[in-house]
PDB file of all heavy atoms in Angstrom:
ATOM      1  N   THR B   3     134.589 110.961 143.115  1.00 37.00           N
ATOM      2  CA  THR B   3     135.193 111.881 142.149  1.00 37.00           C
ATOM      3  C   THR B   3     134.647 113.286 142.300  1.00 37.00           C
ATOM      4  O   THR B   3     133.860 113.747 141.510  1.00 37.00           O
ATOM      5  CB  THR B   3     134.929 111.393 140.727  1.00 37.00           C
ATOM      6  OG1 THR B   3     133.542 111.029 140.642  1.00 37.00           O
ATOM      7  CG2 THR B   3     135.787 110.215 140.380  1.00 37.00           C
ATOM      8  N   ASN B   4     135.051 113.899 143.352  1.00 42.00           N
ATOM      9  CA  ASN B   4     134.663 115.271 143.588  1.00 42.00           C
ATOM     10  C   ASN B   4     135.810 116.170 143.157  1.00 42.00           C
ATOM     11  O   ASN B   4     136.798 116.291 143.854  1.00 42.00           O
ATOM     12  CB  ASN B   4     134.377 115.446 145.083  1.00 42.00           C
ATOM     13  CG  ASN B   4     134.045 116.862 145.422  1.00 42.00           C
ATOM     14  OD1 ASN B   4     134.360 117.780 144.661  1.00 42.00           O
ATOM     15  ND2 ASN B   4     133.413 117.049 146.555  1.00 42.00           N
ATOM     16  N   TYR B   5     135.682 116.769 141.991  1.00 45.00           N
ATOM     17  CA  TYR B   5     136.849 117.469 141.458  1.00 45.00           C
ATOM     18  C   TYR B   5     136.816 118.959 141.686  1.00 45.00           C
ATOM     19  O   TYR B   5     137.733 119.655 141.339  1.00 45.00           O
ATOM     20  CB  TYR B   5     137.044 117.165 139.974  1.00 45.00           C
ATOM     21  CG  TYR B   5     136.004 117.744 139.067  1.00 45.00           C
ATOM     22  CD1 TYR B   5     136.144 119.029 138.575  1.00 45.00           C
ATOM     23  CD2 TYR B   5     134.895 117.004 138.705  1.00 45.00           C
ATOM     24  CE1 TYR B   5     135.205 119.558 137.727  1.00 45.00           C
ATOM     25  CE2 TYR B   5     133.943 117.530 137.869  1.00 45.00           C
ATOM     26  CZ  TYR B   5     134.105 118.803 137.371  1.00 45.00           C
ATOM     27  OH  TYR B   5     133.172 119.312 136.545  1.00 45.00           O
ATOM     28  N   HIS B   6     135.774 119.452 142.289  1.00 42.00           N
ATOM     29  CA  HIS B   6     135.667 120.899 142.381  1.00 42.00           C
ATOM     30  C   HIS B   6     135.799 121.445 143.786  1.00 42.00           C
ATOM     31  O   HIS B   6     135.486 122.595 144.028  1.00 42.00           O
ATOM     32  CB  HIS B   6     134.349 121.368 141.780  1.00 42.00           C
ATOM     33  CG  HIS B   6     134.480 121.578 140.309  1.00 42.00           C
ATOM     34  ND1 HIS B   6     133.551 121.130 139.413  1.00 42.00           N
ATOM     35  CD2 HIS B   6     135.446 122.169 139.594  1.00 42.00           C
ATOM     36  CE1 HIS B   6     133.948 121.451 138.199  1.00 42.00           C
ATOM     37  NE2 HIS B   6     135.084 122.074 138.274  1.00 42.00           N
ATOM     38  N   GLY B   7     136.238 120.585 144.695  1.00 36.00           N
ATOM     39  CA  GLY B   7     136.444 121.101 146.039  1.00 36.00           C
ATOM     40  C   GLY B   7     135.365 120.613 146.989  1.00 36.00           C
ATOM     41  O   GLY B   7     134.663 119.644 146.715  1.00 36.00           O
ATOM     42  N   GLN B   8     135.282 121.279 148.081  1.00 30.00           N
ATOM     43  CA  GLN B   8     134.343 120.901 149.131  1.00 30.00           C
ATOM     44  C   GLN B   8     132.907 121.030 148.663  1.00 30.00           C
ATOM     45  O   GLN B   8     132.575 121.935 147.935  1.00 30.00           O
ATOM     46  CB  GLN B   8     134.527 121.837 150.329  1.00 30.00           C
ATOM     47  CG  GLN B   8     135.881 121.775 150.961  1.00 30.00           C
ATOM     48  CD  GLN B   8     136.196 120.419 151.523  1.00 30.00           C
ATOM     49  OE1 GLN B   8     135.368 119.867 152.233  1.00 30.00           O
ATOM     50  NE2 GLN B   8     137.346 119.879 151.216  1.00 30.00           N
ATOM     51  N   GLN B   9     132.062 120.118 149.144  1.00 36.00           N
ATOM     52  CA  GLN B   9     130.638 120.408 148.977  1.00 36.00           C
ATOM     53  C   GLN B   9     130.019 120.741 150.318  1.00 36.00           C
ATOM     54  O   GLN B   9     130.259 120.067 151.306  1.00 36.00           O
ATOM     55  CB  GLN B   9     129.871 119.269 148.297  1.00 36.00           C
ATOM     56  CG  GLN B   9     129.722 117.995 149.067  1.00 36.00           C
ATOM     57  CD  GLN B   9     130.833 117.043 148.727  1.00 36.00           C
ATOM     58  OE1 GLN B   9     131.920 117.470 148.390  1.00 36.00           O
ATOM     59  NE2 GLN B   9     130.586 115.774 148.845  1.00 36.00           N
ATOM     60  N   GLU B  10     129.310 121.808 150.337  1.00 31.00           N
ATOM     61  CA  GLU B  10     128.679 122.248 151.575  1.00 31.00           C
ATOM     62  C   GLU B  10     127.269 122.665 151.221  1.00 31.00           C
ATOM     63  O   GLU B  10     127.036 123.302 150.207  1.00 31.00           O
ATOM     64  CB  GLU B  10     129.410 123.462 152.149  1.00 31.00           C
ATOM     65  CG  GLU B  10     130.900 123.235 152.342  1.00 31.00           C
ATOM     66  CD  GLU B  10     131.613 124.520 152.709  1.00 31.00           C
ATOM     67  OE1 GLU B  10     131.001 125.371 153.382  1.00 31.00           O
ATOM     68  OE2 GLU B  10     132.769 124.683 152.303  1.00 31.00           O
ATOM     69  N   PHE B  11     126.349 122.298 152.067  1.00 30.00           N
ATOM     70  CA  PHE B  11     124.967 122.717 151.831  1.00 30.00           C
ATOM     71  C   PHE B  11     124.514 123.509 153.046  1.00 30.00           C
ATOM     72  O   PHE B  11     123.848 123.012 153.928  1.00 30.00           O
ATOM     73  CB  PHE B  11     124.081 121.502 151.575  1.00 30.00           C
ATOM     74  CG  PHE B  11     124.437 120.837 150.295  1.00 30.00           C
ATOM     75  CD1 PHE B  11     125.336 119.782 150.283  1.00 30.00           C
ATOM     76  CD2 PHE B  11     123.924 121.287 149.102  1.00 30.00           C
ATOM     77  CE1 PHE B  11     125.696 119.182 149.091  1.00 30.00           C
ATOM     78  CE2 PHE B  11     124.281 120.686 147.913  1.00 30.00           C
ATOM     79  CZ  PHE B  11     125.175 119.622 147.904  1.00 30.00           C
ATOM     80  N   THR B  12     124.945 124.724 153.062  1.00 29.00           N
ATOM     81  CA  THR B  12     124.770 125.530 154.260  1.00 29.00           C
ATOM     82  C   THR B  12     123.694 126.590 154.049  1.00 29.00           C
ATOM     83  O   THR B  12     123.954 127.653 153.513  1.00 29.00           O
ATOM     84  CB  THR B  12     126.079 126.233 154.620  1.00 29.00           C
ATOM     85  OG1 THR B  12     126.563 126.887 153.425  1.00 29.00           O
ATOM     86  CG2 THR B  12     127.125 125.269 155.098  1.00 29.00           C
ATOM     87  N   GLY B  13     122.519 126.240 154.471  1.00 30.00           N
ATOM     88  CA  GLY B  13     121.458 127.237 154.539  1.00 30.00           C
ATOM     89  C   GLY B  13     120.895 127.649 153.195  1.00 30.00           C
ATOM     90  O   GLY B  13     121.231 127.096 152.153  1.00 30.00           O
ATOM     91  N   SER B  14     120.031 128.616 153.232  1.00 31.00           N
ATOM     92  CA  SER B  14     119.321 129.051 152.034  1.00 31.00           C
ATOM     93  C   SER B  14     120.155 130.067 151.277  1.00 31.00           C
ATOM     94  O   SER B  14     121.190 130.518 151.719  1.00 31.00           O
ATOM     95  CB  SER B  14     117.999 129.687 152.418  1.00 31.00           C
ATOM     96  OG  SER B  14     118.256 130.856 153.154  1.00 31.00           O
ATOM     97  N   PHE B  15     119.727 130.393 150.100  1.00 32.00           N
ATOM     98  CA  PHE B  15     120.427 131.377 149.297  1.00 32.00           C
ATOM     99  C   PHE B  15     119.427 132.070 148.390  1.00 32.00           C
ATOM    100  O   PHE B  15     118.324 131.627 148.188  1.00 32.00           O
ATOM    101  CB  PHE B  15     121.504 130.706 148.453  1.00 32.00           C
ATOM    102  CG  PHE B  15     120.918 129.809 147.400  1.00 32.00           C
ATOM    103  CD1 PHE B  15     120.720 130.279 146.113  1.00 32.00           C
ATOM    104  CD2 PHE B  15     120.544 128.520 147.711  1.00 32.00           C
ATOM    105  CE1 PHE B  15     120.169 129.459 145.155  1.00 32.00           C
ATOM    106  CE2 PHE B  15     119.981 127.697 146.755  1.00 32.00           C
ATOM    107  CZ  PHE B  15     119.800 128.171 145.472  1.00 32.00           C
ATOM    108  N   GLY B  16     119.881 133.153 147.860  1.00 33.00           N
ATOM    109  CA  GLY B  16     119.042 133.838 146.881  1.00 33.00           C
ATOM    110  C   GLY B  16     119.948 134.641 145.982  1.00 33.00           C
ATOM    111  O   GLY B  16     121.092 134.891 146.310  1.00 33.00           O
ATOM    112  N   SER B  17     119.439 135.020 144.855  1.00 34.00           N
ATOM    113  CA  SER B  17     120.233 135.824 143.939  1.00 34.00           C
ATOM    114  C   SER B  17     119.403 136.997 143.471  1.00 34.00           C
ATOM    115  O   SER B  17     118.231 136.874 143.190  1.00 34.00           O
ATOM    116  CB  SER B  17     120.651 135.002 142.738  1.00 34.00           C
ATOM    117  OG  SER B  17     121.261 135.847 141.792  1.00 34.00           O
ATOM    118  N   VAL B  18     120.033 138.130 143.438  1.00 31.00           N
ATOM    119  CA  VAL B  18     119.328 139.314 142.984  1.00 31.00           C
ATOM    120  C   VAL B  18     119.459 139.482 141.476  1.00 31.00           C
ATOM    121  O   VAL B  18     118.494 139.700 140.767  1.00 31.00           O
ATOM    122  CB  VAL B  18     119.889 140.572 143.688  1.00 31.00           C
ATOM    123  CG1 VAL B  18     119.205 141.821 143.163  1.00 31.00           C
ATOM    124  CG2 VAL B  18     119.683 140.455 145.179  1.00 31.00           C
ATOM    125  N   LEU B  19     120.684 139.318 140.993  1.00 35.00           N
ATOM    126  CA  LEU B  19     120.918 139.590 139.578  1.00 35.00           C
ATOM    127  C   LEU B  19     120.396 138.483 138.670  1.00 35.00           C
ATOM    128  O   LEU B  19     120.165 138.705 137.503  1.00 35.00           O
ATOM    129  CB  LEU B  19     122.409 139.818 139.325  1.00 35.00           C
ATOM    130  CG  LEU B  19     122.974 141.110 139.918  1.00 35.00           C
ATOM    131  CD1 LEU B  19     124.464 141.191 139.667  1.00 35.00           C
ATOM    132  CD2 LEU B  19     122.267 142.327 139.331  1.00 35.00           C
ATOM    133  N   SER B  20     120.218 137.314 139.212  1.00 39.00           N
ATOM    134  CA  SER B  20     119.706 136.219 138.389  1.00 39.00           C
ATOM    135  C   SER B  20     118.492 135.637 139.088  1.00 39.00           C
ATOM    136  O   SER B  20     118.563 135.240 140.228  1.00 39.00           O
ATOM    137  CB  SER B  20     120.773 135.156 138.238  1.00 39.00           C
ATOM    138  OG  SER B  20     120.252 134.037 137.565  1.00 39.00           O
ATOM    139  N   SER B  21     117.384 135.602 138.402  1.00 41.00           N
ATOM    140  CA  SER B  21     116.164 135.172 139.085  1.00 41.00           C
ATOM    141  C   SER B  21     115.429 134.087 138.315  1.00 41.00           C
ATOM    142  O   SER B  21     114.274 133.843 138.556  1.00 41.00           O
ATOM    143  CB  SER B  21     115.233 136.362 139.265  1.00 41.00           C
ATOM    144  OG  SER B  21     114.881 136.871 137.989  1.00 41.00           O
ATOM    145  N   ARG B  22     116.128 133.413 137.381  1.00 50.00           N
ATOM    146  CA  ARG B  22     115.417 132.409 136.597  1.00 50.00           C
ATOM    147  C   ARG B  22     115.016 131.219 137.454  1.00 50.00           C
ATOM    148  O   ARG B  22     115.677 130.887 138.430  1.00 50.00           O
ATOM    149  CB  ARG B  22     116.275 131.964 135.420  1.00 50.00           C
ATOM    150  CG  ARG B  22     117.532 131.252 135.821  1.00 50.00           C
ATOM    151  CD  ARG B  22     118.403 131.055 134.630  1.00 50.00           C
ATOM    152  NE  ARG B  22     119.618 130.359 135.011  1.00 50.00           N
ATOM    153  CZ  ARG B  22     120.684 130.315 134.247  1.00 50.00           C
ATOM    154  NH1 ARG B  22     120.685 130.924 133.087  1.00 50.00           N
ATOM    155  NH2 ARG B  22     121.749 129.666 134.635  1.00 50.00           N
ATOM    156  N   SER B  23     113.956 130.581 137.054  1.00 58.00           N
ATOM    157  CA  SER B  23     113.474 129.434 137.803  1.00 58.00           C
ATOM    158  C   SER B  23     114.360 128.238 137.504  1.00 58.00           C
ATOM    159  O   SER B  23     115.059 128.194 136.504  1.00 58.00           O
ATOM    160  CB  SER B  23     112.043 129.125 137.390  1.00 58.00           C
ATOM    161  OG  SER B  23     112.002 128.834 136.005  1.00 58.00           O
ATOM    162  N   THR B  24     114.362 127.290 138.396  1.00 74.00           N
ATOM    163  CA  THR B  24     115.177 126.106 138.203  1.00 74.00           C
ATOM    164  C   THR B  24     114.398 125.080 137.396  1.00 74.00           C
ATOM    165  O   THR B  24     113.334 124.635 137.796  1.00 74.00           O
ATOM    166  CB  THR B  24     115.593 125.497 139.552  1.00 74.00           C
ATOM    167  OG1 THR B  24     114.411 125.243 140.303  1.00 74.00           O
ATOM    168  CG2 THR B  24     116.472 126.457 140.316  1.00 74.00           C
ATOM    169  N   THR B  25     114.941 124.741 136.259  1.00 92.00           N
ATOM    170  CA  THR B  25     114.388 123.694 135.410  1.00 92.00           C
ATOM    171  C   THR B  25     115.570 122.915 134.875  1.00 92.00           C
ATOM    172  O   THR B  25     116.709 123.337 135.002  1.00 92.00           O
ATOM    173  CB  THR B  25     113.647 124.285 134.204  1.00 92.00           C
ATOM    174  OG1 THR B  25     114.584 125.067 133.438  1.00 92.00           O
ATOM    175  CG2 THR B  25     112.515 125.199 134.637  1.00 92.00           C
ATOM    176  N   MET B  26     115.264 121.775 134.275  1.00 97.00           N
ATOM    177  CA  MET B  26     116.342 121.049 133.623  1.00 97.00           C
ATOM    178  C   MET B  26     116.831 121.877 132.441  1.00 97.00           C
ATOM    179  O   MET B  26     116.041 122.493 131.744  1.00 97.00           O
ATOM    180  CB  MET B  26     115.842 119.689 133.149  1.00 97.00           C
ATOM    181  CG  MET B  26     116.958 118.685 132.952  1.00 97.00           C
ATOM    182  SD  MET B  26     116.372 117.051 132.416  1.00 97.00           S
ATOM    183  CE  MET B  26     115.436 116.523 133.854  1.00 97.00           C
TER     184      MET B  26
END
Side-chain angles (χ1 to χ4, degrees):
Chain B
T3 46
N4 177 341
Y5 69 87
H6 273 135
Q8 298 298 312
Q9 68 267 29
E10 306 171 32
F11 293 93
T12 50
S14 65
F15 67 95
S17 172
V18 177
L19 291 177
S20 174
S21 61
R22 65 189 180 196
S23 60
T24 56
T25 60
M26 202 179 294

